[in-house]
Amino acid sequence: MDKIKVEICCGTACYLLGAANLMSIEDEIPAEFRDKVEVEARTCLELCEKENLGGAPYVRFNGEEIMAQATNEKVLARIEELVGGAA
Amino acid sequence: MADDLFIEMEAAQYTKTGQGACGDDVRFMTVEKENRHLVALSDGLGSGVKANVLATMTTSMAIKFLESNVPMLEAVEIIMDSLPVCEVRKIGYATFSLFDFRLGGKARISEMGNPGYIHLRGTEEVAPLKDEQIVSSHWPDREVRKCEADFRSGDRIILCSDGVTQSGLGVRKDMKFGWRRSGVLSFAREKIAADPDISARDLSEAIARKALYLTPDGCKDDISCVVCYLRHPRVMRILTGPPFYKEHDAEYARQATLGFDHVVICGGTTANIMERELGVKVKVKLSDMRTSGGLPPVGTMEGVGIATEGILTLGRVLTALEQMRPADREPAAARAILERMMRHDRIEFVIGTKVNESHQDPNVPQDLELRRSVVKRIAAALEKNYRKKVTVNYY
């Protein structure tokens, strides 16, 4: 099974609007999921300049699914769903 | 050509243990329109605040006199006449070493009471072209040495206070008279032999540190070492912001090909342009995400340079430069940029002028300044506080 890829946008707007807190997300992923998830920091996903996506900070799952206004809770919950779904 | 040359002038200092102020003072000045570079180093009598006042008075006056080409003897007399007289020793006293260099010309060195300067070409010591002693009729016991030196590309001139040459004195059995000028000379030669391109910053720091090391139970006297190094400038380039016209992206990205150690890509969108145009991915280590300390983490683009976030990082860099704060107290991204700036002589900014609209979102909890104005202030601080040459180009 491929790892679930989680990309955190570290662009200015995302960082200021909450991505700073997402930097520690790796540590919060439950131990049993850790080898199934790959977290990456991205310079800028260039989503903030597009309208109607819901607002920064943005996190992208598996290269396509975009989460707007991401928080640690929301990201962790989505990881759990994706890992559960894939298992 | 003289235009291609840069003079790196740096000082390293340590204060006598137990004193709140350094009794030596170093002052630099660049007279832009004459392409002239001046240094004054003075060691005030005694130590602490009083010595600092004497030394600072001396360097401030001396550098002004040098700038306005006042004859050396006259300058020395005015300085000696103005210094307050020490209650304890009944003399007004501060030593000095002055360095005056016009790019493309000769270097003039004057010294009074300080250890003799050292002029190195590679590891070889170079003798002055002219060397004379002058004595003032007011102050017959004060001899001033005036030298003229053929200061060429690749040469270094080292000035120090006696805290350097006398380090180890009375502490080390093998150094009855301290480290001495000869010790400093052979140490500098060893350092240059090991690293022929060693910067003035690193060499002055190495000499001052060694002097400190020779007095293991605390610094006995204020230590100051100045190194002036004439060479071809070390150039770094900082690319920040997307170009106003998308058609210019490719040309803009080509500016980033200067070698990994000399390039900083500053900004998320800028990094994306580089990824697209140069075909190199930005990599961020996870451990760097956790320890980035208040700024987005630093990434690397293999073969290109480092990549950081844009305006927040530049903002931190600006504050550190304006307040002359050491880089090691800054978050990783700002530190990486500051350390690179310190290692280079000429800093070229390449600015894309497109405005990032998401920064103007009223929900963003911080005022984000425009890149151009932040860079303008960074350039001013680098020139004024760190004697760097800065150029700014817009795309």
Side-chain angles (χ1 to χ4, degrees):
Chain A
M1 177 198 128
D2 281 343
K3 281 188 180 182
I4 307 219
K5 195 170 165 193
V6 181
E7 292 169 285
I8 300 167
C9 179
C10 288
T12 312
C14 284
Y15 192 81
L16 283 178
L17 289 166
N21 299 324
L22 295 170
M23 294 293 111
S24 60
I25 195 97
E26 262 262 301
D27 302 328
E28 295 172 31
I29 297 172
E32 65 265 35
F33 293 166
R34 274 193 198 159
D35 55 344
K36 297 181 178 123
V37 183
E38 193 182 338
V39 182
E40 269 182 30
R42 290 297 309 274
T43 46
C44 180
L45 295 172
E46 296 190 20
L47 296 168
C48 51
E49 57 194 24
K50 297 184 180 121
E51 282 172 39
N52 308 323
L53 284 180
Y58 291 101
V59 171
R60 190 159 68 188
F61 296 91
N62 292 328
E64 47 191 29
E65 181 191 325
I66 290 159
M67 178 188 280
Q69 298 187 2
T71 59
N72 291 28
E73 294 72 34
K74 280 169 74 180
V75 173
L76 287 171
R78 187 63 191 136
I79 288 173
E80 210 159 312
E81 279 171 31
L82 287 168
V83 174
Chain B
M1 252 175 55
D3 282 351
D4 287 339
L5 289 175
F6 178 89
I7 181 162
E8 187 198 5
M9 304 187 297
E10 288 290 340
Q13 286 189 303
Y14 290 102
T15 301
K16 181 177 173 180
T17 307
Q19 292 292 354
C22 187
D24 297 346
D25 188 59
V26 179
R27 210 145 283 235
F28 298 98
M29 185 188 275
T30 300
V31 189
E32 209 62 67
K33 59 179 188 290
E34 294 179 59
N35 222 340
R36 205 165 146 219
H37 304 269
L38 314 173
V39 185
L41 161 69
S42 173
D43 178 352
L45 180 72
S47 58
V49 172
K50 183 194 64 188
N52 180 279
V53 170
L54 291 171
T56 310
M57 281 180 72
T58 307
T59 53
S60 313
M61 283 188 275
I63 213 150
K64 272 281 165 204
F65 288 141
L66 268 188
E67 184 197 6
S68 34
N69 297 310
V70 172
M72 188 47 62
L73 203 59
E74 202 182 318
V76 169
E77 284 174 353
I78 299 172
I79 292 171
M80 298 301 294
D81 289 342
S82 341
L83 290 180
V85 173
C86 173
E87 280 290 320
V88 187
R89 299 165 183 89
K90 304 288 175 212
I91 41 171
Y93 193 65
T95 69
F96 62 75
S97 297
L98 309 175
F99 171 84
D100 177 356
F101 176 63
R102 197 185 299 260
L103 276 174
K106 305 269 181 281
R108 291 187 296 160
I109 301 112
S110 316
E111 45 198 28
M112 187 184 76
N114 270 351
Y117 77 96
I118 293 172
H119 181 179
L120 288 168
R121 181 164 300 150
T123 56
E124 291 309 308
E125 196 181 2
V126 183
L129 297 171
K130 277 189 206 159
D131 193 341
E132 54 177 322
Q133 304 280 346
I134 49 172
V135 182
S136 148
S137 51
H138 290 211
W139 302 91
D141 58 334
R142 299 273 166 267
E143 267 197 355
V144 182
R145 179 182 180 211
K146 259 180 79 180
C147 295
E148 199 174 282
D150 177 20
F151 195 47
R152 298 187 199 162
S153 173
D155 285 12
R156 293 176 177 87
I157 280 182
I158 304 170
L159 313 173
C160 11
S161 66
D162 62 1
V164 175
T165 48
Q166 289 179 6
S167 63
L169 189 130
V171 187
R172 310 249 320 197
K173 286 207 180 74
D174 54 336
M175 290 183 183
K176 209 170 156 192
F177 301 103
W179 198 16
R180 309 179 77 175
R181 182 180 177 280
S182 56
V184 180
L185 173 63
S186 49
F187 178 79
R189 292 170 69 170
E190 271 167 40
K191 280 276 159 197
I192 295 167
D195 176 5
D197 296 326
I198 187 169
S199 66
R201 186 183 187 79
D202 290 346
L203 185 60
S204 60
E205 189 59 46
I207 293 172
R209 225 179 261 257
K210 174 77 179 179
L212 191 65
Y213 166 82
L214 291 173
T215 47
D217 49 348
C219 194
K220 296 264 191 284
D221 190 2
D222 302 302
I223 290 173
S224 301
C225 177
V226 175
V227 176
C228 306
Y229 181 18
L230 185 65
R231 57 177 156 85
H232 293 286
R234 296 171 184 181
V235 181
M236 83 177 271
R237 210 167 275 168
I238 301 177
L239 290 93
T240 180
F244 192 76
Y245 298 107
K246 209 172 166 32
E247 304 87 274
H248 292 162
D249 282 5
E251 194 192 328
Y252 176 72
R254 274 200 298 277
Q255 307 290 319
T257 49
L258 206 70
F260 184 84
D261 290 330
H262 316 290
V263 171
V264 178
I265 310 294
C266 203
T269 314
T270 318
N272 293 343
I273 293 173
M274 296 300 155
E275 285 192 334
R276 200 176 60 232
E277 298 293 336
L278 303 173
V280 184
K281 282 254 164 238
V282 175
K283 287 191 190 125
V284 182
K285 273 195 260 154
L286 268 180
S287 54
D288 291 344
M289 278 171 67
R290 294 200 191 90
T291 58
S292 54
L295 282 178
V298 190
T300 52
M301 289 184 88
E302 212 183 311
V304 178
I306 55 167
T308 69
E309 180 276 340
I311 198 69
L312 298 174
T313 309
L314 286 175
R316 285 300 288 253
V317 167
L318 171 65
T319 321
L321 291 173
E322 283 187 340
Q323 299 175 2
M324 297 184 80
R325 282 210 303 255
D328 53 12
R329 293 196 201 144
E330 298 300 317
R335 184 170 70 233
I337 297 179
L338 287 163
E339 283 172 352
R340 273 172 191 237
M341 284 173 164
M342 294 308 126
R343 283 201 298 270
H344 290 83
D345 310 313
R346 196 164 81 209
I347 291 128
E348 300 180 349
F349 281 94
V350 185
I351 307 182
T353 57
K354 197 168 169 197
V355 172
N356 191 333
E357 283 182 18
S358 64
H359 292 185
Q360 311 309 322
D361 180 344
N363 291 323
V364 172
Q366 197 175 324
D367 273 344
L368 292 179
E369 279 205 68
L370 288 178
R371 210 175 285 119
R372 288 167 85 149
S373 55
V374 172
V375 170
K376 213 180 256 177
R377 284 172 61 193
I378 288 180
L382 280 170
E383 286 177 338
K384 182 170 166 271
N385 296 346
Y386 295 92
R387 299 174 301 284
K388 307 285 181 189
K389 282 254 180 227
V390 184
T391 63
V392 184
N393 282 308
Y394 298 99
Y395 267 83

PDB file of all heavy atoms in Angstrom, chain B residues 168-195:
ATOM      1  N   GLY B 168      48.740  35.512  27.157  1.00  0.00           N
ATOM      2  CA  GLY B 168      49.609  34.422  27.604  1.00  0.00           C
ATOM      3  C   GLY B 168      50.726  34.893  28.510  1.00  0.00           C
ATOM      4  O   GLY B 168      51.366  34.090  29.180  1.00  0.00           O
ATOM      5  N   LEU B 169      50.936  36.206  28.554  1.00  0.00           N
ATOM      6  CA  LEU B 169      52.021  36.766  29.360  1.00  0.00           C
ATOM      7  C   LEU B 169      51.803  36.453  30.848  1.00  0.00           C
ATOM      8  O   LEU B 169      50.723  36.683  31.385  1.00  0.00           O
ATOM      9  CB  LEU B 169      52.053  38.286  29.158  1.00  0.00           C
ATOM     10  CG  LEU B 169      53.221  39.059  29.729  1.00  0.00           C
ATOM     11  CD1 LEU B 169      53.802  39.949  28.663  1.00  0.00           C
ATOM     12  CD2 LEU B 169      52.788  39.904  30.911  1.00  0.00           C
ATOM     13  N   GLY B 170      52.828  35.898  31.449  1.00  0.00           N
ATOM     14  CA  GLY B 170      52.730  35.600  32.879  1.00  0.00           C
ATOM     15  C   GLY B 170      51.898  34.372  33.188  1.00  0.00           C
ATOM     16  O   GLY B 170      51.762  33.985  34.332  1.00  0.00           O
ATOM     17  N   VAL B 171      51.309  33.776  32.181  1.00  0.00           N
ATOM     18  CA  VAL B 171      50.482  32.597  32.416  1.00  0.00           C
ATOM     19  C   VAL B 171      51.167  31.368  31.850  1.00  0.00           C
ATOM     20  O   VAL B 171      51.247  30.324  32.480  1.00  0.00           O
ATOM     21  CB  VAL B 171      49.090  32.755  31.744  1.00  0.00           C
ATOM     22  CG1 VAL B 171      48.191  31.591  32.138  1.00  0.00           C
ATOM     23  CG2 VAL B 171      48.458  34.086  32.115  1.00  0.00           C
ATOM     24  N   ARG B 172      51.698  31.545  30.636  1.00  0.00           N
ATOM     25  CA  ARG B 172      52.293  30.402  29.961  1.00  0.00           C
ATOM     26  C   ARG B 172      53.818  30.433  30.107  1.00  0.00           C
ATOM     27  O   ARG B 172      54.454  31.443  29.808  1.00  0.00           O
ATOM     28  CB  ARG B 172      51.942  30.451  28.463  1.00  0.00           C
ATOM     29  CG  ARG B 172      50.472  30.663  28.209  1.00  0.00           C
ATOM     30  CD  ARG B 172      49.839  29.484  27.642  1.00  0.00           C
ATOM     31  NE  ARG B 172      50.651  28.791  26.650  1.00  0.00           N
ATOM     32  CZ  ARG B 172      50.118  27.929  25.806  1.00  0.00           C
ATOM     33  NH1 ARG B 172      48.824  27.696  25.810  1.00  0.00           N
ATOM     34  NH2 ARG B 172      50.888  27.313  24.944  1.00  0.00           N
ATOM     35  N   LYS B 173      54.364  29.301  30.537  1.00  0.00           N
ATOM     36  CA  LYS B 173      55.813  29.233  30.733  1.00  0.00           C
ATOM     37  C   LYS B 173      56.582  29.377  29.416  1.00  0.00           C
ATOM     38  O   LYS B 173      57.672  29.902  29.358  1.00  0.00           O
ATOM     39  CB  LYS B 173      56.192  27.906  31.402  1.00  0.00           C
ATOM     40  CG  LYS B 173      55.814  27.885  32.875  1.00  0.00           C
ATOM     41  CD  LYS B 173      56.727  26.934  33.653  1.00  0.00           C
ATOM     42  CE  LYS B 173      56.378  26.892  35.112  1.00  0.00           C
ATOM     43  NZ  LYS B 173      55.147  26.145  35.388  1.00  0.00           N
ATOM     44  N   ASP B 174      55.959  28.846  28.341  1.00  0.00           N
ATOM     45  CA  ASP B 174      56.625  28.899  27.042  1.00  0.00           C
ATOM     46  C   ASP B 174      56.510  30.275  26.390  1.00  0.00           C
ATOM     47  O   ASP B 174      57.041  30.505  25.318  1.00  0.00           O
ATOM     48  CB  ASP B 174      56.045  27.829  26.109  1.00  0.00           C
ATOM     49  CG  ASP B 174      54.528  27.925  25.986  1.00  0.00           C
ATOM     50  OD1 ASP B 174      53.897  28.465  26.925  1.00  0.00           O
ATOM     51  OD2 ASP B 174      53.979  27.494  24.971  1.00  0.00           O
ATOM     52  N   MET B 175      55.785  31.198  27.028  1.00  0.00           N
ATOM     53  CA  MET B 175      55.628  32.526  26.442  1.00  0.00           C
ATOM     54  C   MET B 175      55.936  33.576  27.492  1.00  0.00           C
ATOM     55  O   MET B 175      55.042  34.191  28.057  1.00  0.00           O
ATOM     56  CB  MET B 175      54.187  32.729  25.958  1.00  0.00           C
ATOM     57  CG  MET B 175      53.846  31.909  24.763  1.00  0.00           C
ATOM     58  SD  MET B 175      52.198  32.290  24.237  1.00  0.00           S
ATOM     59  CE  MET B 175      52.043  31.138  22.888  1.00  0.00           C
ATOM     60  N   LYS B 176      57.198  33.731  27.717  1.00  0.00           N
ATOM     61  CA  LYS B 176      57.630  34.637  28.772  1.00  0.00           C
ATOM     62  C   LYS B 176      57.122  36.058  28.537  1.00  0.00           C
ATOM     63  O   LYS B 176      56.752  36.769  29.468  1.00  0.00           O
ATOM     64  CB  LYS B 176      59.162  34.624  28.792  1.00  0.00           C
ATOM     65  CG  LYS B 176      59.728  34.916  30.155  1.00  0.00           C
ATOM     66  CD  LYS B 176      61.211  34.635  30.132  1.00  0.00           C
ATOM     67  CE  LYS B 176      61.923  35.416  31.209  1.00  0.00           C
ATOM     68  NZ  LYS B 176      63.364  35.351  31.007  1.00  0.00           N
ATOM     69  N   PHE B 177      57.138  36.465  27.274  1.00  0.00           N
ATOM     70  CA  PHE B 177      56.680  37.814  26.949  1.00  0.00           C
ATOM     71  C   PHE B 177      55.323  37.813  26.253  1.00  0.00           C
ATOM     72  O   PHE B 177      54.975  38.742  25.544  1.00  0.00           O
ATOM     73  CB  PHE B 177      57.720  38.515  26.068  1.00  0.00           C
ATOM     74  CG  PHE B 177      59.062  38.610  26.714  1.00  0.00           C
ATOM     75  CD1 PHE B 177      60.092  37.763  26.355  1.00  0.00           C
ATOM     76  CD2 PHE B 177      59.272  39.541  27.734  1.00  0.00           C
ATOM     77  CE1 PHE B 177      61.321  37.843  26.982  1.00  0.00           C
ATOM     78  CE2 PHE B 177      60.514  39.612  28.361  1.00  0.00           C
ATOM     79  CZ  PHE B 177      61.540  38.768  27.985  1.00  0.00           C
ATOM     80  N   GLY B 178      54.592  36.737  26.433  1.00  0.00           N
ATOM     81  CA  GLY B 178      53.279  36.663  25.793  1.00  0.00           C
ATOM     82  C   GLY B 178      53.380  36.122  24.377  1.00  0.00           C
ATOM     83  O   GLY B 178      54.438  35.646  23.948  1.00  0.00           O
ATOM     84  N   TRP B 179      52.274  36.254  23.671  1.00  0.00           N
ATOM     85  CA  TRP B 179      52.187  35.677  22.320  1.00  0.00           C
ATOM     86  C   TRP B 179      53.085  36.456  21.357  1.00  0.00           C
ATOM     87  O   TRP B 179      53.658  35.904  20.448  1.00  0.00           O
ATOM     88  CB  TRP B 179      50.716  35.723  21.874  1.00  0.00           C
ATOM     89  CG  TRP B 179      50.376  34.827  20.729  1.00  0.00           C
ATOM     90  CD1 TRP B 179      51.121  33.782  20.264  1.00  0.00           C
ATOM     91  CD2 TRP B 179      49.206  34.902  19.905  1.00  0.00           C
ATOM     92  NE1 TRP B 179      50.474  33.197  19.205  1.00  0.00           N
ATOM     93  CE2 TRP B 179      49.299  33.854  18.965  1.00  0.00           C
ATOM     94  CE3 TRP B 179      48.090  35.736  19.873  1.00  0.00           C
ATOM     95  CZ2 TRP B 179      48.322  33.633  18.011  1.00  0.00           C
ATOM     96  CZ3 TRP B 179      47.115  35.516  18.929  1.00  0.00           C
ATOM     97  CH2 TRP B 179      47.229  34.476  18.008  1.00  0.00           C
ATOM     98  N   ARG B 180      53.182  37.728  21.562  1.00  0.00           N
ATOM     99  CA  ARG B 180      53.995  38.668  20.770  1.00  0.00           C
ATOM    100  C   ARG B 180      53.511  38.770  19.316  1.00  0.00           C
ATOM    101  O   ARG B 180      52.760  37.964  18.835  1.00  0.00           O
ATOM    102  CB  ARG B 180      55.484  38.293  20.807  1.00  0.00           C
ATOM    103  CG  ARG B 180      55.961  38.098  22.220  1.00  0.00           C
ATOM    104  CD  ARG B 180      57.385  37.713  22.260  1.00  0.00           C
ATOM    105  NE  ARG B 180      58.247  38.887  22.027  1.00  0.00           N
ATOM    106  CZ  ARG B 180      59.563  38.819  22.112  1.00  0.00           C
ATOM    107  NH1 ARG B 180      60.149  37.684  22.397  1.00  0.00           N
ATOM    108  NH2 ARG B 180      60.284  39.880  21.895  1.00  0.00           N
ATOM    109  N   ARG B 181      54.047  39.795  18.657  1.00  0.00           N
ATOM    110  CA  ARG B 181      53.686  40.012  17.261  1.00  0.00           C
ATOM    111  C   ARG B 181      54.126  38.824  16.403  1.00  0.00           C
ATOM    112  O   ARG B 181      53.423  38.391  15.501  1.00  0.00           O
ATOM    113  CB  ARG B 181      54.338  41.306  16.754  1.00  0.00           C
ATOM    114  CG  ARG B 181      53.985  41.640  15.319  1.00  0.00           C
ATOM    115  CD  ARG B 181      54.668  42.935  14.896  1.00  0.00           C
ATOM    116  NE  ARG B 181      54.417  43.247  13.500  1.00  0.00           N
ATOM    117  CZ  ARG B 181      55.058  42.707  12.489  1.00  0.00           C
ATOM    118  NH1 ARG B 181      55.999  41.798  12.709  1.00  0.00           N
ATOM    119  NH2 ARG B 181      54.768  43.043  11.254  1.00  0.00           N
ATOM    120  N   SER B 182      55.286  38.257  16.762  1.00  0.00           N
ATOM    121  CA  SER B 182      55.798  37.127  15.971  1.00  0.00           C
ATOM    122  C   SER B 182      54.873  35.917  16.083  1.00  0.00           C
ATOM    123  O   SER B 182      54.716  35.156  15.132  1.00  0.00           O
ATOM    124  CB  SER B 182      57.207  36.775  16.438  1.00  0.00           C
ATOM    125  OG  SER B 182      57.185  36.514  17.828  1.00  0.00           O
ATOM    126  N   GLY B 183      54.260  35.750  17.257  1.00  0.00           N
ATOM    127  CA  GLY B 183      53.325  34.640  17.454  1.00  0.00           C
ATOM    128  C   GLY B 183      52.070  34.834  16.614  1.00  0.00           C
ATOM    129  O   GLY B 183      51.564  33.900  15.987  1.00  0.00           O
ATOM    130  N   VAL B 184      51.576  36.077  16.604  1.00  0.00           N
ATOM    131  CA  VAL B 184      50.381  36.397  15.810  1.00  0.00           C
ATOM    132  C   VAL B 184      50.702  36.160  14.333  1.00  0.00           C
ATOM    133  O   VAL B 184      49.911  35.561  13.596  1.00  0.00           O
ATOM    134  CB  VAL B 184      49.942  37.863  16.026  1.00  0.00           C
ATOM    135  CG1 VAL B 184      48.703  38.174  15.200  1.00  0.00           C
ATOM    136  CG2 VAL B 184      49.688  38.142  17.504  1.00  0.00           C
ATOM    137  N   LEU B 185      51.888  36.615  13.921  1.00  0.00           N
ATOM    138  CA  LEU B 185      52.292  36.474  12.523  1.00  0.00           C
ATOM    139  C   LEU B 185      52.325  35.000  12.109  1.00  0.00           C
ATOM    140  O   LEU B 185      51.731  34.617  11.097  1.00  0.00           O
ATOM    141  CB  LEU B 185      53.676  37.116  12.319  1.00  0.00           C
ATOM    142  CG  LEU B 185      54.327  36.920  10.948  1.00  0.00           C
ATOM    143  CD1 LEU B 185      53.495  37.576   9.860  1.00  0.00           C
ATOM    144  CD2 LEU B 185      55.746  37.514  10.924  1.00  0.00           C
ATOM    145  N   SER B 186      52.976  34.151  12.938  1.00  0.00           N
ATOM    146  CA  SER B 186      53.068  32.754  12.485  1.00  0.00           C
ATOM    147  C   SER B 186      51.708  32.069  12.547  1.00  0.00           C
ATOM    148  O   SER B 186      51.403  31.213  11.720  1.00  0.00           O
ATOM    149  CB  SER B 186      54.153  31.972  13.220  1.00  0.00           C
ATOM    150  OG  SER B 186      54.029  32.164  14.587  1.00  0.00           O
ATOM    151  N   PHE B 187      50.866  32.476  13.519  1.00  0.00           N
ATOM    152  CA  PHE B 187      49.514  31.908  13.588  1.00  0.00           C
ATOM    153  C   PHE B 187      48.707  32.282  12.341  1.00  0.00           C
ATOM    154  O   PHE B 187      48.052  31.440  11.724  1.00  0.00           O
ATOM    155  CB  PHE B 187      48.805  32.413  14.855  1.00  0.00           C
ATOM    156  CG  PHE B 187      47.391  31.925  15.003  1.00  0.00           C
ATOM    157  CD1 PHE B 187      47.131  30.637  15.472  1.00  0.00           C
ATOM    158  CD2 PHE B 187      46.318  32.742  14.682  1.00  0.00           C
ATOM    159  CE1 PHE B 187      45.826  30.187  15.616  1.00  0.00           C
ATOM    160  CE2 PHE B 187      45.018  32.293  14.820  1.00  0.00           C
ATOM    161  CZ  PHE B 187      44.770  31.014  15.294  1.00  0.00           C
ATOM    162  N   ALA B 188      48.800  33.558  11.938  1.00  0.00           N
ATOM    163  CA  ALA B 188      48.060  34.017  10.759  1.00  0.00           C
ATOM    164  C   ALA B 188      48.562  33.287   9.515  1.00  0.00           C
ATOM    165  O   ALA B 188      47.768  32.882   8.652  1.00  0.00           O
ATOM    166  CB  ALA B 188      48.224  35.526  10.596  1.00  0.00           C
ATOM    167  N   ARG B 189      49.875  33.089   9.426  1.00  0.00           N
ATOM    168  CA  ARG B 189      50.426  32.383   8.268  1.00  0.00           C
ATOM    169  C   ARG B 189      49.947  30.944   8.203  1.00  0.00           C
ATOM    170  O   ARG B 189      49.601  30.437   7.144  1.00  0.00           O
ATOM    171  CB  ARG B 189      51.960  32.433   8.311  1.00  0.00           C
ATOM    172  CG  ARG B 189      52.476  33.848   8.095  1.00  0.00           C
ATOM    173  CD  ARG B 189      53.942  33.955   8.363  1.00  0.00           C
ATOM    174  NE  ARG B 189      54.702  33.246   7.347  1.00  0.00           N
ATOM    175  CZ  ARG B 189      56.018  33.335   7.239  1.00  0.00           C
ATOM    176  NH1 ARG B 189      56.696  34.079   8.071  1.00  0.00           N
ATOM    177  NH2 ARG B 189      56.643  32.689   6.305  1.00  0.00           N
ATOM    178  N   GLU B 190      49.897  30.291   9.374  1.00  0.00           N
ATOM    179  CA  GLU B 190      49.382  28.916   9.419  1.00  0.00           C
ATOM    180  C   GLU B 190      47.938  28.863   8.943  1.00  0.00           C
ATOM    181  O   GLU B 190      47.549  27.995   8.174  1.00  0.00           O
ATOM    182  CB  GLU B 190      49.386  28.395  10.861  1.00  0.00           C
ATOM    183  CG  GLU B 190      50.655  27.720  11.306  1.00  0.00           C
ATOM    184  CD  GLU B 190      50.638  27.538  12.819  1.00  0.00           C
ATOM    185  OE1 GLU B 190      49.582  27.196  13.392  1.00  0.00           O
ATOM    186  OE2 GLU B 190      51.692  27.786  13.439  1.00  0.00           O
ATOM    187  N   LYS B 191      47.150  29.820   9.436  1.00  0.00           N
ATOM    188  CA  LYS B 191      45.722  29.853   9.082  1.00  0.00           C
ATOM    189  C   LYS B 191      45.552  30.043   7.578  1.00  0.00           C
ATOM    190  O   LYS B 191      44.690  29.422   6.954  1.00  0.00           O
ATOM    191  CB  LYS B 191      45.010  31.002   9.820  1.00  0.00           C
ATOM    192  CG  LYS B 191      44.673  30.679  11.255  1.00  0.00           C
ATOM    193  CD  LYS B 191      43.361  29.921  11.303  1.00  0.00           C
ATOM    194  CE  LYS B 191      43.233  29.147  12.595  1.00  0.00           C
ATOM    195  NZ  LYS B 191      42.220  28.110  12.551  1.00  0.00           N
ATOM    196  N   ILE B 192      46.364  30.937   7.007  1.00  0.00           N
ATOM    197  CA  ILE B 192      46.243  31.231   5.584  1.00  0.00           C
ATOM    198  C   ILE B 192      46.752  30.046   4.753  1.00  0.00           C
ATOM    199  O   ILE B 192      46.180  29.712   3.717  1.00  0.00           O
ATOM    200  CB  ILE B 192      46.982  32.546   5.229  1.00  0.00           C
ATOM    201  CG1 ILE B 192      46.292  33.712   5.930  1.00  0.00           C
ATOM    202  CG2 ILE B 192      47.015  32.780   3.715  1.00  0.00           C
ATOM    203  CD1 ILE B 192      47.079  35.006   5.933  1.00  0.00           C
ATOM    204  N   ALA B 193      47.803  29.371   5.248  1.00  0.00           N
ATOM    205  CA  ALA B 193      48.314  28.198   4.539  1.00  0.00           C
ATOM    206  C   ALA B 193      47.237  27.115   4.483  1.00  0.00           C
ATOM    207  O   ALA B 193      47.043  26.448   3.468  1.00  0.00           O
ATOM    208  CB  ALA B 193      49.570  27.678   5.216  1.00  0.00           C
ATOM    209  N   ALA B 194      46.507  26.964   5.602  1.00  0.00           N
ATOM    210  CA  ALA B 194      45.470  25.935   5.665  1.00  0.00           C
ATOM    211  C   ALA B 194      44.261  26.320   4.809  1.00  0.00           C
ATOM    212  O   ALA B 194      43.591  25.463   4.251  1.00  0.00           O
ATOM    213  CB  ALA B 194      45.055  25.702   7.114  1.00  0.00           C
ATOM    214  N   ASP B 195      43.955  27.610   4.751  1.00  0.00           N
ATOM    215  CA  ASP B 195      42.790  28.067   3.981  1.00  0.00           C
ATOM    216  C   ASP B 195      43.165  29.385   3.294  1.00  0.00           C
ATOM    217  O   ASP B 195      42.972  30.464   3.844  1.00  0.00           O
ATOM    218  CB  ASP B 195      41.599  28.268   4.941  1.00  0.00           C
ATOM    219  CG  ASP B 195      40.374  28.826   4.233  1.00  0.00           C
ATOM    220  OD1 ASP B 195      40.416  28.969   2.994  1.00  0.00           O
ATOM    221  OD2 ASP B 195      39.373  29.116   4.922  1.00  0.00           O
TER     222      ASP B 195
END
